[in-house]
Amino acid sequence: MNQYHPAKIEKKWQKYWEKNKTFKTSDSSDRPKFYVLDMFPYPSGAGLHVGHPKGYIATDIVARMKMMQGHNVLHPMGWDAFGLPAENYALKNKMHPAESTEKNVQVFKKQLGLLGFTYDWDREVNTTDPEYYRWTQWMFIEMYKRGLVFESNEPINWCPSCKTGLANEDLDDGKCERCGSIVEQKPMRQWVIKITDYAERLLNDIDKLTEWPEPIKEMQRNWIGKSEGALVKFAVIPTEAQGRAEESLSIEVFTTRPDTLFGCTYCVVAPEHELLRNQKFNIKNQKEVNEYIANAKNKTVMERTELAKEKTGIEIQGIKAVNPANGEQVPIFVADYVLGNYGTGAIMAVPAHDERDWEFAKKYDLPIRCVVIPDAYSVESASKPFSDNFQKDQDVEMTKILLGEKCNVSGGISTNSDFLNGLKTPEAKQKMITWLEEKNIGKKKTQYKLRDWVFSRQRYWGEPIPLVKCEACANKKFNYILIHGFTSNSSRGFKPWLKTELEKDGHRVWNPDLPNTTNPNVNEQAKYVLENSPFSIDEDTVLVGHSLGGPVTYRILESINKKIARTVLVDPVVRPRFNDQDRPEVVASCDWQFDWKKIKINGGKIVVLGDIHRPIIKKEHLVELEKNLGADLWWVIPQNYHFSSRGGAVESEPAVLRASIDSGWSVVDDEELPLELPKVKHYEPSGTGESPLATIEKWVNTKCPKCSGPAKRETNTMPQWAGSSWYYLAYAMPRVKGKYIWDKKVIEYWIGSGLAPRSPSEAQGEGGVDFYVGGAEHATRHLIYARFWHKFLFDIGMVAHDEPFKRLQNLGVILAEDGRKMSKRWNNVINPNDIVARFGADAMRVYEMFMGPFDQPCAWNMQGVVGAKRFLEKVWDLFPRLDKNFTADASVGIMHKTIKKVTEDISEMKFNTAISQLMIWVNELRAQEKTSFDELKNLTLLLAPFAPHLCEELWEMLDQKSSVVNADWPKYNPAKIQDNEITLAIQVNGKLRDTIVVPFDISDTDAKDRALASEKVQKWLEGRAPKKVIYVKGKLVSIVA
RNA sequence: GCCGUGGUGGCGGAAUUGGUAUACGCGCGGGUCUUAGAAGCCCGUUCCGAAAGGAUUGUGGGUUCGAGUCCCACCCACGGCACCA
């Protein structure tokens, strides 16, 4: 037999696999399925370095073992090829991104091909393939139709170098994650996805992810950043009469500590706060304030963070805020330690119990009032010396004494707080919230750190956003009729606000009080509207029906013989059965029979809004309505319960406004998809905020799908994260001539229980890709986006489970030999091609898995690869010792132990110890003169996932016909694992003094006797009688002297 | 600052979850083969000590017959978040 020659063997078997389609995956099988997935790579121009394949090797090992264990395995690979880096690379190399991407993909594919992976290349996906992004665009449109996509002009993160807006997730320490430039805040027209509507579910469902690493889950929890507290309204008043019309003005603050409201001694608004733009009051130091704002604006995110230690701010003179708890007038400051984009952009400052407020108050000498006694100083435990001082009006000193220089109080007992005095923090919070809600000056509020997803990029290389803008439609004026619900009236809830907003835009609005609102009759109310409407109800009419106003709207639409422009149904009653309580008056208000066909026709464009978290109207009713009316159903988080505040105050509901107006935007028809990215010569970013697509007139100018007038396409493109948010589904989609088919049964086969349900409600067990491997750097980006995207697809019935990835495994990066990151910059990159050429792919695979724990970073060591190769050579050299007549009775124990350990370790991603065990066994086998067929067969099978080429060759040498992946994975015999003789350790006073070899089933007393009989033990006992002898079965004897 | 992860020989790391610490590999030392080198092969290799023996899992305490593993306090490294009210 000749030498181990990896180059020859590897080429031979790679050809064999390709020719025999060994890894072709079928969408149906009697065998259980297993879907194992890598985070697909971004095909950069640099090609792969040895770090990249680490995860792919691991999934390949798992895939191969699963195949051998009789599973139908899906193990695909594809390319995440849209996005900024690809475009920047193309620009730098003066190529078209389509070209460079294609070229890079080929390089990557060739490199991966050297390593012997089990990919079914027929399932390769590429996010830049129009047939692929047809679906990305389709999903975006579905989100748009459901009100999850909106246009915004808020300041966003702008990278001056990449010349595009970025999402919060794309930032790294205030810098562009891609190019490292300092990011600016720039107001920009952009498309935003309301991922915040899913914040609560994204947070709660983390608990379902039992097979995810805990640190990743914690990072997601922190990123979502839920805090519960209250909104509190502070009236704003002028300090002296200004001779202007009395206008009510207020600022709203968010606090997690409503219990400390009595300790509020000033308020702070962010420089961006609208109060400062409001000219209603005479601000005495307006100039100074303006300067401060301008100054703050010029600061970058970086500077604002760096200067965090030293807080700045100035008092707004001429106005005061009124603390609603005690009526006290407190100064208002503008300071940039308050963030404009969190909460309401305004805070109540409680310097005694908030570190930042404390700092600020100290600097500007503001009063500090203690309102919570920390638990550590509770009146009983520490009444001296504090209790004496406590009642005195020496708050500043008091706080200092109580809290030293630290002022965080997470919990305690309220004091100096009127009706809260004596209550513990949680109760005080609750009592304050109830009090605020009763007085209608505040309410409970949950706030998230997660921000909506800035989804547009002013760049070329991305999926075109399939939207069309028609100015004529946008400018059209309508006549709105607002129809209130049961026990309500025209002045309640969002209606007055909505009326104002619409009238601002030049629309006409009728907001009537309907008759008999506490004992309503739907027919009577509909009649009232029809008879009293100041406008004729026709194609220029928009009906907005809220709650029981829904059925009134249905009646109106039934009784007219015209089609109106638009119908907005806000949490409308569909059938008189509710989630919370019965309402007999509503039941009695009509016959609940509706002519849905007619309503559907006459309603025009119909939008239904539902409360995603606390619905009064049953979800299935709104879904039914959606179907009956062909409506767009929006699940939103309203500002107020059931879109109407409890106290009847005037409230904004932005979602209702968005649903009510015609923005002029339309979605591209399904037949027009994919909306292809036009091929252009020049695609450099303009830098003005316009996408390079804007200059391609032929492409931009189009027809309005609604009015057929001239319209323009959206020219921004989607971010890289769009295509990667659902690619794991694309692998599971059957294809016909390159077109992806959404076959729910097949998708559910792969990402569900393996059984195909006919509807989401039939879904069984947990869903998701069985096993997903990738880097932890995606914790708060890809993995949040993909979870959101999947939940959306679940909501619209496209998938049957609401989490995409069942088990997640992180991998640790491979560092260069110098311990730094592998990078061109350090000139320390190692190319896998070189390693394969020198040592073979199998040696590289074994080495990378043997380096250390899979999820920990580890530096490359070339000598280690030599060691891996040596090990494979040792295996190879074992085969000439094969004696088919030889049976290895004596050494069979270690074989079964190895089968057990390797099987378990692969399942647990402990490849290093699996290989170690194989090495131990091989070392044992080398000590024998002969090896049995059984030993070599099992060794080949166990090693096959790690070193597939070598093992195919060895398998052939054992006269086996089919590929080794078609062989059965070995099973161990538990009876054979138990050695006949075991070594017991003997400790005297906790120190090891001797070891003895005994039969494995030695009895308790025998073990103790044998231990005590040991000469060494006797020596250490020095004649003393043992006080205590402990026998731990199969392990040791511990003697206490 | 907050959250998370980790700290074991010269190096990468193992340790059945409270039971012989340092498996396996690398490196190093010695030997063997060879004209020589490379590659093999054999032996050794936590530290101190000639040995007997002693010490040792970031540091200091504790629980236990017994602690790398559990508890308390602290130190260091890495990762995430960072004025989030």
Side-chain angles (χ1 to χ4, degrees), chain A residues 69-102:
Chain A
Q69 286 176 332
H71 287 76
N72 187 29
V73 174
L74 176 56
H75 180 223
M77 184 46 74
W79 317 104
D80 183 16
F82 264 138
L84 278 177
E87 190 177 323
N88 288 344
Y89 173 85
L91 275 170
K92 210 170 136 194
N93 291 280
K94 300 201 162 39
M95 292 170 85
H96 193 277
E99 259 173 65
S100 62
T101 297
E102 175 60 24

Side-chain angles (χ1 to χ4, degrees), chain A residues 706-726:
Chain A
K706 264 184 298 194
C707 71
S708 300
K712 284 187 192 298
R713 291 191 191 282
E714 171 59 58
T715 55
N716 284 338
T717 53
M718 298 189 198
Q720 191 195 340
W721 307 109
S724 61
S725 290
W726 69 277

Side-chain angles (χ1 to χ4, degrees), chain A residues 355-408:
Chain A
E355 205 154 353
R356 295 148 301 178
D357 298 343
W358 165 276
E359 264 178 59
F360 193 80
K362 293 277 267 193
K363 182 169 172 184
Y364 293 100
D365 203 21
L366 295 156
I368 299 169
R369 183 180 305 143
C370 178
V371 289
V372 182
I373 314 168
D375 284 331
Y377 298 97
S378 66
V379 186
E380 297 87 354
S381 69
S383 52
K384 297 278 178 182
F386 310 120
S387 59
D388 291 342
N389 300 339
F390 192 72
Q391 302 302 329
K392 293 181 187 165
D393 193 21
Q394 294 176 335
D395 297 319
V396 179
E397 285 312 305
M398 186 59 220
T399 310
K400 277 186 194 162
I401 296 164
L402 265 176
L403 309 162
E405 285 304 309
K406 286 211 164 183
C407 43
N408 285 336

Side-chain angles (χ1 to χ4, degrees), chain A residues 114-127:
Chain A
L114 295 174
L115 295 173
F117 294 130
T118 56
Y119 303 133
D120 175 0
W121 283 110
D122 292 347
R123 290 176 183 263
E124 175 181 1
V125 302
N126 185 326
T127 53

Side-chain angles (χ1 to χ4, degrees), chain A residues 606-874:
Chain A
I606 304 176
V607 183
V608 177
L609 276 74
D611 182 334
I612 193 168
H613 287 147
R614 299 183 298 168
I616 292 182
I617 309 299
K618 286 178 182 286
K619 276 194 177 177
E620 59 264 33
H621 289 179
L622 294 185
V623 170
E624 192 185 314
L625 193 64
E626 177 194 19
K627 271 191 200 140
N628 287 341
L629 298 181
D632 288 348
L633 176 52
W634 296 15
W635 289 113
V636 301
I637 303 174
Q639 304 293 305
N640 293 288
Y641 187 46
H642 188 50
F643 297 83
S644 52
S645 66
R646 242 175 247 182
V650 173
E651 296 288 352
S652 67
E653 288 291 349
V656 177
L657 178 63
R658 285 200 287 121
S660 302
I661 58 172
D662 185 342
S663 63
W665 287 103
S666 306
V667 296
V668 165
D669 280 342
D670 276 0
E671 298 80 61
E672 239 190 286
L673 298 181
L675 175 60
E676 287 200 40
L677 189 60
K679 299 229 162 58
V680 290
K681 273 195 188 140
H682 301 287
Y683 55 89
E684 291 82 0
S686 66
T688 58
E690 278 275 26
S691 154
L693 292 178
T695 58
I696 311 166
E697 288 190 15
K698 242 173 85 185
W699 186 80
V700 170
N701 291 312
T702 184
K703 260 202 265 174
C704 172
K706 264 184 298 194
C707 71
S708 300
K712 284 187 192 298
R713 291 191 191 282
E714 171 59 58
T715 55
N716 284 338
T717 53
M718 298 189 198
Q720 191 195 340
W721 307 109
S724 61
S725 290
W726 69 277
Y727 74 107
Y728 54 93
L729 297 169
Y731 289 130
M733 286 169 79
R735 290 175 221 183
V736 179
K737 289 182 193 159
K739 283 198 190 330
Y740 290 77
I741 311 296
W742 197 284
D743 185 326
K744 284 190 197 176
K745 275 188 188 164
V746 175
I747 289 173
E748 186 51 21
Y749 171 72
W750 285 115
I751 64 155
S753 55
L755 309 162
R758 271 151 292 171
S759 69
S761 58
E762 279 183 46
Q764 298 175 19
E766 286 176 12
V769 171
D770 295 283
F771 194 21
Y772 193 26
V773 176
E777 68 271 21
H778 290 111
T780 53
R781 295 180 192 143
H782 163 62
L783 289 172
I784 288 218
Y785 292 143
R787 288 185 61 221
F788 156 73
W789 204 282
H790 195 88
K791 283 181 187 302
F792 171 74
L793 292 175
F794 171 78
D795 288 349
I796 63 172
M798 299 297 283
V799 293
H801 296 87
D802 64 356
E803 282 291 338
F805 310 119
K806 203 188 290 177
R807 178 179 171 196
L808 179 72
Q809 171 70 49
N810 287 137
L811 87 168
V813 288
I814 294 182
L815 303 166
E817 284 187 281
D818 57 13
R820 291 188 287 199
K821 242 173 134 172
M822 250 182 229
S823 147
K824 254 197 271 182
R825 195 169 141 210
W826 306 118
N827 196 31
N828 56 11
V829 176
I830 299 170
N831 189 319
N833 300 24
D834 299 339
I835 304 301
V836 171
R838 277 175 70 187
F839 306 100
D842 286 336
M844 178 170 148
R845 290 172 62 117
V846 169
Y847 170 63
E848 292 207 0
M849 293 301 100
F850 185 63
M851 287 176 88
F854 182 70
D855 57 358
Q856 266 173 232
C858 191
W860 185 266
N861 175 2
M862 205 57 91
Q863 281 305 317
V865 196
V866 177
K869 170 110 188 264
R870 251 179 234 161
F871 165 63
L872 296 180
E873 277 164 352
K874 285 180 186 174

Side-chain angles (χ1 to χ4, degrees), chain A residues 868-884:
Chain A
K869 170 110 188 264
R870 251 179 234 161
F871 165 63
L872 296 180
E873 277 164 352
K874 285 180 186 174
V875 173
W876 179 269
D877 290 339
L878 236 31
F879 277 67
R881 305 181 195 204
L882 169 63
D883 181 341
K884 288 194 173 168

Side-chain angles (χ1 to χ4, degrees), chain A residues 354-494:
Chain A
D354 180 281
E355 205 154 353
R356 295 148 301 178
D357 298 343
W358 165 276
E359 264 178 59
F360 193 80
K362 293 277 267 193
K363 182 169 172 184
Y364 293 100
D365 203 21
L366 295 156
I368 299 169
R369 183 180 305 143
C370 178
V371 289
V372 182
I373 314 168
D375 284 331
Y377 298 97
S378 66
V379 186
E380 297 87 354
S381 69
S383 52
K384 297 278 178 182
F386 310 120
S387 59
D388 291 342
N389 300 339
F390 192 72
Q391 302 302 329
K392 293 181 187 165
D393 193 21
Q394 294 176 335
D395 297 319
V396 179
E397 285 312 305
M398 186 59 220
T399 310
K400 277 186 194 162
I401 296 164
L402 265 176
L403 309 162
E405 285 304 309
K406 286 211 164 183
C407 43
N408 285 336
V409 181
S410 55
I413 295 167
S414 288
T415 185
N416 282 343
S417 295
D418 197 340
F419 57 89
L420 298 180
N421 283 347
L423 290 176
K424 288 192 171 176
T425 298
E427 289 93 65
K429 280 184 184 173
Q430 189 47 57
K431 185 155 185 189
M432 179 53 89
I433 289 172
T434 311
W435 185 84
L436 289 167
E437 284 181 345
E438 274 167 11
K439 302 251 169 191
N440 199 28
I441 43 178
K443 65 186 175 192
K444 198 173 166 175
K445 168 82 180 173
T446 304
Q447 186 69 43
Y448 302 90
K449 275 200 269 184
L450 182 76
R451 290 204 239 149
D452 282 325
W453 183 3
V454 174
F455 199 71
S456 39
R457 298 290 178 273
Q458 292 71 39
R459 296 287 297 240
Y460 171 74
W461 194 234
E463 301 88 343
I465 292 177
L467 293 174
V468 170
K469 172 94 174 189
C470 170
E471 289 302 332
C473 287
N475 292 331
K476 204 168 168 202
K477 304 302 171 202
F478 294 95
N479 300 322
Y480 286 82
I481 301 175
L482 313 187
I483 301 166
H484 68 70
F486 177 48
T487 67
S488 187
N489 61 48
S490 64
S491 62
R492 301 272 290 271
F494 61 81

